[in-house]
Amino acid sequence: MPGHGPGRVIRLQCIAVLLVGAGLLSGCSGLKTYPNDLPKNLQVRTEATSGSAFSSMRVALHIHQVDANCRTEYQGTVNLNEPSVGVGVPSGRMSYLVFTFSGSSFLGGTSSSTRYETLLQPRAGYTYDARARYKDGIYHVEIRENDPRRSAGREIERRGLADCGRPW
Amino acid sequence: MTYPAIGIIVAVTVLLGGCAQPQSADEFRKSASGPSLSKVVTREVNRPLREVAATFRARAPECLNATVRRTLAGPSYHVVDVTYKPTVVVTDQRAELHVQMRHTRGVINVIQEPEGGFYVLIADVHPVDSKRSRIEIFGSSTGNDVMTRAIVGWATGKDLGCPDMAQVG
């Protein structure tokens, strides 16, 4: 029968191996894409430079849900590969935001990753601006809350998981 | 005792003597000021001592309490963890920021480690007048550039960012 024979079987086997391998690799990384299907209430602006033509810098935001007992559950990752990215973070409940700045060098094959973590409980009707910056080995993340009824916003203080449960 | 044995003992003694590490902040300052691979960075900033001290108290714990893990590839992977600890000391006359480190995984120390870990960097701030301060940073001439720049940024108030501790050392 046309199309069938040893050559076609080998090609199908190769495709199957590749598909299984890809599935295993994506599962092994532990990362999944954040659904980001809520109204975008957090605008993240990213400025990241490695400082060298021989290295690169990637920034990502990992979002965790926090329950009443301050336990976290990973919800997914948003790659901040654009200068500005809109993210929908559930309002009225606590989330744990983890920004990672991951650098890799093309020479020597070295890589490193630095984390900035903070709790955030967005209020309904408010919007938030985050600025994630990395330059020449120094990083900073600032988050501001914007009240649509007022022109002035306020900086959101960084809070670690140890602060979970304390009044805001 | 044979001459080769004496030679070995002398060589080991010299090596161990050269490996002696400062056991206090004052010893570290003296070693950084002397002819070694350390250096002293001095800056004058337009902020009073109390403001610089407040910034150190806010930023140092947040930025410098860190553990850096390095994986060294080779015939077998070797994992080394380095934990950094900042201490801020403030009086009416000065503010001090001490950064110490210790290996918490993958390294066995054969030399005496001071309490809190080996000194990596010390920043001293003195008042120049009611509106200005002078900061002196003692540390290695290599590997501390990122931390030094971050601390200068805190002292000036112009950059409150954290140093990427993976680039230290």
Side-chain angles (χ1 to χ4, degrees):
Chain A
M1 182 178 285
H4 287 265
R8 182 174 171 80
V9 170
I10 292 173
R11 281 196 295 275
L12 284 175
Q13 286 175 337
C14 286
I15 291 170
V17 167
L18 285 172
L19 286 174
V20 170
L24 284 173
L25 283 173
S26 63
C28 284
S29 73
L31 296 180
K32 61 181 180 181
T33 302
Y34 182 66
N36 209 15
D37 49 10
L38 296 173
K40 307 296 184 283
N41 54 354
L42 173 65
Q43 198 69 28
V44 184
R45 290 175 179 77
T46 307
E47 305 160 23
T49 55
S50 64
S52 167
F54 300 104
S55 60
S56 65
M57 175 60 59
R58 300 180 313 281
V59 188
L61 171 60
H62 313 274
I63 299 170
H64 303 253
Q65 182 177 287
V66 183
D67 68 13
N69 295 318
C70 298
R71 290 176 303 206
T72 61
E73 183 182 342
Y74 174 59
Q75 299 299 298
T77 295
V78 179
N79 284 317
L80 303 176
N81 47 13
E82 298 289 335
S84 183
V85 176
V87 183
V89 183
S91 60
R93 61 180 304 170
M94 194 82 70
S95 290
Y96 190 52
L97 307 183
V98 180
F99 291 84
T100 55
F101 301 89
S102 303
S104 56
S105 170
F106 307 134
L107 304 174
T110 58
S111 64
S112 65
S113 185
T114 296
R115 296 158 59 105
Y116 177 98
E117 305 143 341
T118 186
L119 291 168
L120 179 68
Q121 184 168 336
R123 295 195 281 176
Y126 288 72
T127 60
Y128 296 81
D129 287 318
R131 183 180 170 216
R133 171 172 55 87
Y134 186 107
K135 183 180 178 184
D136 297 333
I138 294 178
Y139 66 96
H140 195 38
V141 177
E142 297 166 303
I143 301 178
R144 291 190 65 84
E145 178 185 69
N146 304 311
D147 183 347
R149 297 162 294 181
R150 299 176 188 175
S151 57
R154 69 181 181 110
E155 185 167 342
I156 299 293
E157 182 187 351
R158 180 184 186 185
R159 289 193 171 210
L161 272 179
D163 297 316
C164 176
R166 295 179 191 170
W168 284 66
Chain B
M1 183 180 289
T2 63
Y3 282 119
I6 294 172
I8 291 171
I9 291 171
V10 170
V12 170
T13 303
V14 169
L15 282 172
L16 287 176
C19 289
Q21 292 290 318
Q23 297 297 302
S24 69
D26 281 339
E27 285 185 17
F28 183 80
R29 290 185 186 94
K30 286 176 188 167
S31 71
S33 305
S36 65
L37 293 177
S38 302
K39 71 173 183 180
V40 182
V41 172
T42 303
R43 293 278 191 280
E44 211 165 276
V45 299
N46 296 323
R47 295 176 82 209
L49 173 65
R50 67 177 185 282
E51 286 187 17
V52 177
T55 305
F56 278 13
R57 278 182 159 150
R59 302 307 294 160
E62 182 172 319
C63 294
L64 303 180
N65 266 316
T67 295
V68 177
R69 171 163 291 182
R70 292 187 173 89
T71 303
L72 310 174
S76 62
Y77 280 98
H78 183 198
V79 177
V80 175
D81 286 350
V82 179
T83 297
Y84 294 91
K85 187 193 87 163
T87 305
V88 179
V89 181
V90 179
T91 67
D92 290 338
Q93 284 77 42
R94 64 191 282 160
E96 300 176 16
L97 167 59
H98 305 171
V99 183
Q100 292 170 272
M101 64 80 83
R102 57 179 9 146
H103 290 104
T104 48
R105 178 176 177 168
V107 172
I108 299 175
N109 281 327
V110 296
I111 52 179
Q112 187 177 358
E113 181 179 300
E115 184 180 343
F118 296 107
Y119 286 91
V120 177
L121 179 148
I122 289 179
D124 291 336
V125 186
H126 302 269
V128 173
D129 54 37
S130 62
K131 295 182 182 178
R132 292 180 300 160
S133 305
R134 179 178 295 113
I135 178 172
E136 282 184 297
I137 301 177
F138 304 83
S140 169
S141 56
T142 58
N144 280 340
D145 174 61
V146 163
M147 217 171 8
T148 297
R149 283 190 286 110
I151 290 170
V152 171
W154 300 347
T156 62
K158 292 181 180 176
D159 189 346
L160 301 181
C162 295
D164 183 352
M165 297 304 284
Q167 295 197 18
V168 173

